[in-house]
Amino acid sequence: TMRFFVFGPCVGADSTDWNSISPDLLLHWSSSLPPLPADAMDTSSWSPVELQGAFQVIDAAVNNATACGTPSNEWPAGSVAAGPVAHCEESSPCSGDWTTGICKAMTEYNARENIVALQHKHGTHWVHQHAQPAWIQFRFPVPDGARSVNFRFEMDNRYAPQLRGGNPCAAAQEDPTHQCKLCTPALHGGAWDFNVPPGVHILWTVPGSDRHIVTGPVDVLSKYLAGEFHVVVESPSELDLSQEEEVVVTMLAFNQYPFTGELTQSDEWDSSNALRCSVEWTKVDGDGKQTIMLSIVAADIFTRSDWTAPLRPPDVRPRLFGENSAWLQNFVDPFLESPCTHTDIQNSGWGWQPGTPDFKSAFENVILGERPCRGNAPPASLMEHEVVVDYTASGYQSFYSAANRDTAKQVFYVVRRGKACLELSRNACPYTEAELSSLTATIIQTEMAGFDINARETNRDLGRWGWEQDSDGCCGFDLFSPQALKHWTLFIDIFHDEAEAVNATFVAEVKAKMNEYIDMFLAAFEEGHWSLWNGNNWTPYLCEGAMYWAVTMWHDVPAKAEKVVKAINDISMLHREMTTADGAYKEGVCQYSYMSIGPQLATAVVYAHSFGEVWPSIHYERLQLMAQWHMDSFDTAGQAVDFGDSHNCRGTMVETLYAALAGDVAAPPGIPSTSSVDACVLRLWASMSYFLTVRDPWQWWPVLVKHDWDQKVLECDWGQDRDFRPFGPAKVSLYPEMGYAMIRAPLLENCTDWICDGSALPRLADAKGYSMVAIQGRPNEFPHAEVDFATFKWTAFGVQMISEHGYGTIATGVGEWDFRRFTEIDNNAAGHNTLVINEAFVDDKINFSQLHYRKGVTEVVAGVDLHCVKLDGSDVYGSGRTNGWFDSMQRYFCELATGQYVMVDSFQVKQGRELLQLYGSLYGGPDYDEGTVHSELTVDEYFHTPSWLDGKDLSTMTAEEKTFSRDKVSNKCQHVDVELDADGVALISGCAFTSASLDGDTTGKIVAWSREPGSFVVDGLVTATSTWGSPTMHINRFRYTPAAPTGTGDLRAFVMTAGMKPDVPPPAWVKPCAAQPSTGTCLSVCVASRYFELVVTEGAGGDLVSAVEMGQCDGENLAAEVLTTTTTGAPAGETSFTFEVDPDKLALGGLDGAALGELSQQVFQAAQASLTVNLQLTTVSLAQADASAPLALTLEFAGSVGDASYATGRAVGELVGRELRRYAAVVVEPPATGCCSPASNMALLRPAGGAGAAVDGDTTTCVAGVVEVDL
């Protein structure tokens, strides 16, 4: 009896070439074949990752597979189905509980769920091995632009797939004509095809098609035994998905015997009773278990973009960067033909000279051997060229160091230019053919001596080029491979024919070695290895070397070269996500953003000049925005901010300009680009540039000489203050997805002897005149992130006053349950300038104050007068967990006065919190067990300053040797001592900003206030482990610590001021305001003589609702009366108080007169209630005696204040005026046109919306002298 089972809708006649697998499929098993879906699934729940275009990774819902049933038509619920139902008949018998109706597929087995598995024989001991096919069918949506897919599946590592084909015995392996004696239906004439090979066939189709395209078989058992549990299969070329919305992939197992033995005459089996047999009788040691044919635990596809090379690289060598004529025209001539813009030595930035780098001379110095713009003639002969002298020096080996590798690139460039000039018969070629031939011969011999076909490990002491780290257990093709590929592709591209004439075997071996590593690259791509698929800085770095190879070998192995380019195009799409929409790079500035920019654009340049189009895998708009982020991430000490796994690299690099001009850099010949660099970004960049030289001329791109940068930078002009404020006024920048913010502010109000030198060009001293607070709120699940929410760095007068450990140990493991990075202090909260909970320590270095895989919010505070940033770390400290530490946590930074800052922290301890236990040991990280629930917490504020001992091994140093002295330190000196004084902490720099060996000239001060009593303590030097595993990272630490634990929380404020000798930091204090608002807490802050008030609300959703400069104060006297305004008149008993108001400080809110009065009344009523004063506010007026006079705010009350209540009345008036300035915004200014003369004593009262509005809201009114509102 034959039964036909259908799973889902089917099309008509099946025209699949089943015979290509076995004629038996249609002859005996047509009812068991996988279906051809007629209609596409509903995939409306799926949406592609926008930045990845056609390259998408789409998972199959293996955990929701349907076994022998009708799957859902909705994706992903119905995306995986398996079958068929077991077929039992006399010629293919079943036994035991196996009857027709049992499914050959399972979705769980042996206590493991979320699998889909295919079963073997139909029954128990005496049943034969069945030939009946079994299958798993996967359905996936297809994104726009995709043409093909790669199908990947992961096998269950518990069970070897028992798919050995139809004739697997040992005798048949030796003699293919031998027919194995197996326990199958063939013993009695049943269906069994001895010609079926081992493995599974992969079938491909689309909804509505009348056939499956058959590929395979894939020998999954061999892969399993080799430890390859992940298998990748490419879709066949005849499957074109460019117009399809879904692809259907089916794994078909048919006629597969599980064991490698044969039935032999014995007590168990008698050939005269052949039907009585067991498959187990054919089992040989090592064959494994029979139950499972194949078990799959995961499957997905990654869709492939539709790419066909529009052009091809040149047929002749050299091919990289185009043929010689195009290469000279596009890469060499622009430098040589550009005008000289610098005739003197130009060491801008850290070279301490004004101006921008001389890119032309830097290039010519390497390529010509001199700088003609400075009047120096190139050497007379090739062998006198400086880089040639270095390359041909005795003992030179190109692999030995980074400098040697660069020398090889430079010499290769010089030779190609010389050869190209002669080949094209150009005039005035620099070198003779004899010179070039002689040097070429030397190069070939040198490179032959450094090559070994069997080499792997990169180790210069082994005397040859290495190709991988080898010791890292990574992946073969790793971070060391691209440098080898670039070197040898350039060598083959330029010297192929000459080298082959000298030693053809050598050239063949170089090609074979490169091919070996390209195979590793392709394997990493196809298998989904993290080295490429993480999408981080590794991805572009590895792809660059592969692109060099693909173009160099395009005509040697065209199919493989094209395959490599397609892989590069697709996998590079994953890297786009590493740059946020506003240009921040998720792994930090130095070194990882540089590792991203250079290789990305190098790949784009090679691609553009080989295939004639813009490389599609860069998000150019985001890359161009990165230049601004770079400069917002350089502090005013001229160093990169080193949050997370970043270094505080000294000085800017050319990659920043390349990012800004990415469109130009990557443009193919003849395709214009409009990318540009902002003049003020350029000014910042040039002021901090660091001795830029040409290391790799192949990546010194002509965009660098398209502009006169000294003229361009002058477009950034901040007017009359530009000499001492060359970066403009105070600025706050925010990168919300990155969680990064910075406030940069000028420290100077006039010229000094070290900044106003008369030059309008950028110089390093420009940075010294600014302070900066860099603020970290990066989500800690980002790659290379640390658990360091709300940490910050403070720089003033070119000195890092508050610093960081920096890179330290790599932040290993950012998976949700992987706590390995907590092991090192530099990766958890205790190593940063943030809030640290003492009860969260495991030991003196491991701290779980901040929780893993939690993110906070960083934002600019809106609606306040000052530049302020808010960080909400409530979730990071556990607000979303019943066993978290805090219910809320907020930190605020505001810039005060001239480049000074206040930091305010608010936190509330979680009430009724439960026991916190965390388990990281599963991944090799630490566990945390609170032991007993702490209802009260000791919360410290950590601060760190740089130490000159950083990077040193202290184990052999005496106490005297560890003591700081300026003469012990090089010119790259960073050191700030910490001293307690009567009212806070003093910070004393040991080193000045400049590169000269100068003593420290900057001092800082931090004063604090907290609601709960607390004080500063100095811990001294603390040590962390370096990137290379040594305890050599040292910084100074001090803390603000409470007198006792708190069960509720605290509000704290820290004023940070700095001065430059002989001046001291401006005196400062912070305390609660005398009069508190009805909502929130008001803090008074005094810096020198400038008085500020901040109002914060606390708890969940807490905010900084006001931050405003109020008037004057006495910074040296904490008890002094606050002079918010000056008061006239108002002797005791009178009812009118008048306060002078600086119109620049007035912020009355875009109100008309009625609204002004209403607000005044509401504020006064609140003040009256808090001060128990029995008064009624009747009139509010603003008056101005003349155009230069301050505004006068007059408040009139009904009734007498009383002789004894004058002070109280004045306090009420001050509060009303203060609140008006805090919450409102009248803009008082002369109108541009109309009835009011700008010179007259008149002003226009208007709403913030812009157009003038009358006091009564009806018509525009010019107000002479006074605006009065009767209440």
Side-chain angles (χ1 to χ4, degrees):
T1 301
M2 299 295 289
R3 294 176 175 85
F4 191 78
F5 297 92
V6 178
F7 301 98
C10 290
V11 295
D14 184 343
S15 60
T16 302
D17 184 9
W18 297 113
N19 286 337
S20 64
I21 301 174
S22 169
D24 281 6
L25 280 171
L26 289 178
L27 184 62
H28 298 287
W29 304 109
S30 61
S31 64
S32 298
L33 297 175
L36 283 162
D39 301 307
M41 300 184 74
D42 176 1
T43 58
S44 57
S45 64
W46 177 77
S47 57
V49 179
E50 183 179 359
L51 289 179
Q52 293 176 205
F55 182 67
Q56 301 287 326
V57 179
I58 308 170
D59 290 323
V62 170
N63 62 334
N64 200 32
T66 302
C68 295
T70 302
S72 168
N73 192 47
E74 294 185 358
W75 191 93
S79 61
V80 183
V85 170
H87 177 68
C88 302
E89 61 180 12
E90 183 178 351
S91 62
S92 296
C94 301
S95 70
D97 59 357
W98 274 75
T99 60
T100 296
I102 296 293
C103 189
K104 283 185 68 69
M106 301 182 294
T107 57
E108 61 178 284
Y109 180 70
N110 200 8
R112 182 165 186 172
E113 300 177 341
N114 301 327
I115 64 171
V116 57
L118 303 178
Q119 302 188 73
H120 253 307
K121 62 179 184 177
H122 300 175
T124 53
H125 190 68
W126 302 113
V127 72
H128 300 162
Q129 179 66 20
H130 265 250
Q132 183 181 8
W135 47 264
I136 310 170
Q137 188 167 90
F138 303 90
R139 302 179 68 173
F140 302 95
V142 176
D144 292 340
R147 182 184 182 89
S148 61
V149 302
N150 282 36
F151 172 61
R152 299 186 295 193
F153 58 91
E154 179 185 354
M155 293 182 283
D156 189 337
N157 60 13
R158 300 175 304 168
Y159 305 110
Q162 299 297 348
L163 300 168
R164 289 187 163 91
N167 204 37
C169 63
Q173 306 309 306
E174 297 177 3
D175 177 9
T177 64
H178 175 79
Q179 193 172 89
C180 302
K181 198 176 296 292
L182 307 175
C183 187
T184 71
L187 291 173
H188 51 87
W192 188 263
D193 187 343
F194 289 91
N195 296 315
V196 173
V200 292
H201 285 82
I202 310 298
L203 315 179
W204 310 80
T205 192
V206 296
S209 174
D210 66 350
R211 70 179 182 122
H212 296 279
I213 300 172
V214 179
T215 63
V218 178
D219 187 356
V220 288
L221 176 59
S222 294
K223 291 182 177 294
Y224 180 96
L225 295 175
E228 301 174 18
F229 304 129
H230 297 80
V231 182
V232 186
V233 184
E234 293 185 32
S235 61
S237 58
E238 58 194 291
L239 180 71
D240 184 355
L241 298 173
S242 56
Q243 303 300 317
E244 305 296 338
E245 56 183 320
E246 183 184 316
V247 62
V248 183
V249 186
T250 305
M251 303 176 71
L252 177 70
F254 168 66
N255 202 103
Q256 299 289 314
Y257 201 77
F259 300 137
T260 58
E262 293 187 84
L263 294 170
T264 58
Q265 189 73 29
S266 67
D267 292 340
E268 289 183 317
W269 183 72
D270 186 345
S271 59
S272 64
N273 187 16
L275 294 182
R276 184 182 178 277
C277 68
S278 170
V279 178
E280 293 289 329
W281 295 348
T282 60
K283 183 177 179 179
V284 175
D285 287 346
D287 278 350
K289 295 184 178 181
Q290 176 195 2
T291 308
I292 301 297
M293 275 201 293
L294 178 66
S295 180
I296 301 298
V297 298
D300 65 18
I301 61 168
F302 56 91
T303 57
R304 308 297 305 278
S305 58
D306 184 8
W307 184 80
T308 302
L311 298 175
R312 297 290 190 273
D315 291 333
V316 298
R317 302 184 192 278
R319 294 171 185 154
L320 288 166
F321 310 103
E323 60 180 358
N324 277 333
S325 60
W327 176 67
L328 288 175
Q329 180 181 348
N330 294 319
F331 292 94
V332 183
D333 294 347
F335 283 102
L336 302 182
E337 296 174 0
S338 64
C340 293
T341 56
H342 301 78
T343 56
D344 297 322
I345 295 175
Q346 183 67 52
N347 290 319
S348 59
W350 279 91
W352 211 250
Q353 294 177 320
T356 60
D358 185 356
F359 298 114
K360 173 182 171 70
S361 290
F363 176 85
E364 290 179 335
N365 187 51
V366 169
I367 304 311
L368 304 182
E370 253 305 345
R371 301 174 178 88
C373 288
R374 299 176 190 172
N376 302 319
S381 73
L382 177 60
M383 300 309 292
E384 294 173 358
H385 193 299
E386 183 177 354
V387 298
V388 176
V389 171
D390 290 342
Y391 186 92
T392 56
S394 176
Y396 170 85
Q397 296 169 311
S398 60
F399 58 82
Y400 192 76
S401 65
N404 283 19
R405 292 191 291 272
D406 291 340
T407 297
K409 295 187 191 86
Q410 294 163 6
V411 167
F412 291 0
Y413 199 103
V414 168
V415 171
R416 180 174 179 182
R417 176 184 172 244
K419 285 183 168 185
C421 185
L422 294 174
E423 173 193 313
L424 299 171
S425 302
R426 284 190 164 195
N427 294 326
C429 291
Y431 313 117
T432 67
E433 185 172 348
E435 286 179 303
L436 290 166
S437 296
S438 175
L439 179 56
T440 295
T442 299
I443 290 171
I444 292 169
Q445 293 301 321
T446 299
E447 299 305 328
M448 283 175 59
F451 177 80
D452 178 357
I453 184 72
N454 297 312
R456 287 182 58 198
E457 180 184 1
T458 299
N459 183 339
R460 66 186 186 182
D461 295 332
L462 298 179
R464 76 289 183 275
W465 269 90
W467 292 78
E468 60 178 279
Q469 187 169 341
D470 189 40
S471 60
D472 64 350
C474 162
C475 35
F477 195 100
D478 61 18
L479 289 178
F480 290 78
S481 307
Q483 65 187 19
L485 271 177
K486 286 180 64 176
H487 176 87
W488 288 106
T489 53
L490 286 168
F491 176 84
I492 290 295
D493 204 42
I494 298 168
F495 304 107
H496 179 276
D497 292 350
E498 294 94 332
E500 194 169 54
V502 172
N503 190 331
T505 300
F506 160 63
V507 172
E509 287 183 344
V510 170
K511 292 179 180 180
K513 193 66 178 180
M514 292 194 298
N515 190 67
E516 175 187 347
Y517 276 82
I518 285 299
D519 284 344
M520 296 179 191
F521 175 86
L522 288 173
F525 171 73
E526 291 167 354
E527 295 166 11
H529 194 276
W530 64 262
S531 58
L532 280 174
W533 284 80
N534 271 5
N536 64 0
N537 63 87
W538 279 58
T539 304
Y541 197 82
L542 301 190
C543 286
E544 178 192 6
M547 182 64 82
Y548 267 69
W549 178 90
V551 171
T552 301
M553 304 302 293
W554 186 269
H555 296 289
D556 301 70
V557 281
K560 178 178 279 191
E562 183 173 5
K563 186 175 183 178
V564 169
V565 174
K566 287 181 176 180
I568 293 169
N569 291 350
D570 282 343
I571 200 65
S572 297
M573 300 297 284
L574 296 181
H575 187 67
R576 292 170 136 219
E577 290 263 355
M578 294 305 300
T579 305
T580 64
D582 44 19
Y585 189 74
K586 292 181 180 179
E587 295 180 297
V589 179
C590 185
Q591 59 195 17
Y592 291 124
S593 75
Y594 296 148
M595 282 181 66
S596 164
I597 295 168
Q600 274 192 95
L601 289 175
T603 300
V605 169
V606 172
Y607 179 96
H609 290 266
S610 301
F611 305 114
E613 66 178 6
V614 175
W615 190 43
S617 301
I618 290 179
H619 197 298
Y620 292 94
E621 293 79 8
R622 292 190 175 197
L623 191 55
Q624 287 162 193
L625 290 172
M626 196 184 291
Q628 178 68 67
W629 173 71
H630 269 189
M631 297 324 303
D632 286 341
S633 300
F634 264 81
D635 63 26
T636 53
Q639 298 184 341
V641 174
D642 52 347
F643 292 143
D645 283 350
S646 295
H647 300 289
N648 60 339
C649 298
R650 199 179 203 195
T652 56
M653 298 182 68
V654 73
E655 279 81 1
T656 302
L657 285 190
Y658 287 157
L661 301 168
D664 263 351
V665 172
I671 298 180
S673 170
T674 58
S675 63
S676 63
V677 59
D678 178 84
C680 291
V681 170
L682 178 65
R683 176 175 285 278
L684 266 168
W685 178 86
S687 71
M688 304 178 193
S689 62
Y690 194 81
F691 300 102
L692 297 177
T693 57
V694 182
R695 294 179 55 196
D696 181 357
W698 305 96
Q699 288 181 212
W700 197 257
W701 293 310
V703 70
L704 296 175
V705 288
K706 281 191 174 181
H707 305 275
D708 184 333
W709 298 115
D710 275 1
Q711 289 300 312
K712 175 71 175 178
V713 82
L714 296 179
E715 296 175 15
C716 179
D717 188 346
W718 294 104
Q720 61 183 2
D721 293 344
R722 63 177 172 265
D723 285 342
F724 58 91
R725 291 183 174 179
F727 301 155
K731 173 189 177 184
V732 58
S733 293
L734 173 70
Y735 297 85
E737 185 179 348
M738 183 71 168
Y740 174 75
M742 76 91 193
I743 307 173
R744 184 174 57 238
L747 287 160
L748 305 176
E749 296 185 291
N750 47 54
C751 281
T752 71
D753 57 356
W754 50 266
I755 193 167
C756 297
D757 62 359
S759 173
L761 295 173
R763 65 278 202 212
L764 189 59
D766 293 351
K768 185 177 180 179
Y770 283 78
S771 68
M772 177 172 158
V773 170
I775 306 159
Q776 167 79 317
R778 175 164 46 165
N780 63 40
E781 69 263 31
F782 278 11
H784 288 287
E786 297 172 351
V787 188
D788 60 354
F789 185 82
T791 192
F792 71 99
K793 294 189 70 172
W794 171 37
T795 310
F797 295 108
V799 174
Q800 293 181 0
M801 306 301 290
I802 298 295
S803 65
E804 272 270 331
H805 275 295
Y807 197 123
T809 52
I810 191 168
T812 303
V814 289
E816 188 169 2
W817 311 109
D818 187 348
F819 300 161
R820 281 176 291 167
R821 58 183 166 168
F822 281 85
T823 304
E824 299 292 342
I825 193 171
D826 69 287
N827 287 333
N828 66 60
H832 297 90
N833 305 309
T834 190
L835 280 71
V836 178
I837 301 164
N838 285 353
E839 290 75 11
F841 276 103
V842 174
D843 56 28
D844 61 352
K845 290 190 175 183
I846 300 174
N847 183 274
F848 282 90
S849 295
Q850 296 185 9
L851 301 181
H852 184 65
Y853 241 68
R854 295 292 185 270
K855 66 176 65 176
V857 176
T858 308
E859 58 190 0
V860 173
V861 181
V864 299
D865 285 11
L866 305 180
H867 292 102
C868 299
V869 171
K870 171 186 176 182
L871 299 104
D872 191 320
S874 300
D875 190 43
V876 180
Y877 283 88
S879 66
R881 301 172 59 125
T882 58
N883 56 2
W885 301 112
F886 294 164
D887 274 327
S888 69
M889 176 271 179
Q890 291 90 28
R891 169 169 277 188
Y892 307 95
F893 291 91
C894 293
E895 188 254 338
L896 309 170
T898 304
Q900 319 297 345
Y901 301 90
V902 62
M903 179 178 75
V904 179
D905 286 340
S906 168
F907 65 90
Q908 289 189 324
V909 174
K910 180 176 286 293
Q911 301 303 296
R913 56 180 303 273
E914 300 173 1
L915 187 71
L916 180 61
Q917 294 174 311
L918 302 168
Y919 302 99
S921 53
L922 180 64
Y923 289 88
D927 295 330
Y928 174 78
D929 188 342
E930 188 179 358
T932 59
V933 176
H934 292 83
S935 59
E936 294 185 331
L937 302 175
T938 306
V939 183
D940 288 351
E941 309 264 352
Y942 276 38
F943 300 86
H944 299 85
T945 69
S947 169
W948 77 286
L949 294 170
D950 188 44
K952 294 179 170 55
D953 180 359
L954 305 185
S955 63
T956 60
M957 295 178 68
T958 66
E960 173 61 29
E961 289 171 333
K962 295 176 187 177
T963 303
F964 174 78
S965 173
R966 187 63 186 87
D967 58 8
K968 295 180 181 178
V969 192
S970 71
N971 60 2
K972 293 183 179 180
C973 172
Q974 294 187 69
H975 183 81
V976 174
D977 283 318
V978 182
E979 296 179 2
L980 296 180
D981 59 24
D983 57 346
V985 170
L987 307 176
I988 302 99
S989 69
C991 318
F993 174 43
T994 68
S995 58
S997 298
L998 300 179
D999 291 336
D1001 56 5
T1002 303
T1003 57
K1005 184 67 177 286
I1006 301 180
V1007 297
W1009 169 87
S1010 60
R1011 180 181 291 133
E1012 302 292 333
S1015 60
F1016 284 109
V1017 295
V1018 177
D1019 295 326
L1021 201 68
V1022 293
T1023 297
T1025 306
S1026 73
T1027 309
W1028 310 112
S1030 302
T1032 56
M1033 297 185 60
H1034 315 291
I1035 53 179
N1036 302 307
R1037 186 175 73 199
F1038 63 98
R1039 293 174 288 124
Y1040 186 82
T1041 186
T1046 176
T1048 55
D1050 203 359
L1051 179 67
R1052 301 169 180 174
F1054 304 86
V1055 181
M1056 303 183 295
T1057 58
M1060 186 173 173
K1061 297 176 182 179
D1063 296 330
V1064 296
W1069 49 254
V1070 55
K1071 64 180 181 179
C1073 301
Q1076 290 293 322
S1078 57
T1079 302
T1081 300
C1082 178
L1083 296 176
S1084 303
V1085 182
C1086 184
V1087 177
S1089 61
R1090 298 174 68 172
Y1091 177 68
F1092 306 83
E1093 287 188 359
L1094 288 75
V1095 175
V1096 296
T1097 58
E1098 299 174 69
D1103 208 352
L1104 179 65
V1105 296
S1106 174
V1108 63
E1109 184 171 357
M1110 301 299 297
Q1112 295 182 318
C1113 58
D1114 182 354
E1116 295 185 349
N1117 186 358
L1118 179 62
E1121 182 179 9
V1122 177
L1123 305 176
T1124 60
T1125 56
T1126 57
T1127 308
T1128 61
E1134 293 193 4
T1135 60
S1136 177
F1137 299 87
T1138 302
F1139 305 92
E1140 291 183 357
V1141 182
D1142 182 348
D1144 291 337
K1145 304 297 187 295
L1146 186 67
L1148 284 185
L1151 305 174
D1152 59 23
L1156 171 62
E1158 181 181 352
L1159 179 62
S1160 301
Q1161 186 69 54
Q1162 292 173 353
V1163 171
F1164 172 72
Q1165 288 172 351
Q1168 177 174 270
S1170 66
L1171 296 173
T1172 64
V1173 178
N1174 186 21
L1175 296 172
Q1176 180 182 357
L1177 183 65
T1178 59
T1179 306
V1180 181
S1181 66
L1182 292 169
Q1184 190 175 28
D1186 57 55
S1188 61
L1191 291 167
L1193 171 66
T1194 300
L1195 309 173
E1196 295 185 4
F1197 306 96
S1200 174
V1201 174
D1203 292 345
S1205 303
Y1206 172 71
T1208 302
R1210 174 180 174 180
V1212 171
E1214 289 182 348
L1215 179 59
V1216 173
R1218 188 179 310 138
E1219 294 294 321
L1220 286 173
R1221 280 173 280 168
R1222 180 175 295 131
Y1223 295 117
V1226 168
V1227 179
V1228 181
E1229 62 183 17
T1233 59
C1235 62
C1236 300
S1237 165
S1240 69
N1241 177 27
M1242 296 183 179
L1244 180 68
L1245 181 66
R1246 63 175 176 81
V1255 172
D1256 61 6
D1258 294 329
T1259 59
T1260 300
T1261 304
C1262 291
V1263 184
V1266 65
V1267 176
E1268 185 169 296
V1269 182
D1270 288 328
L1271 303 181

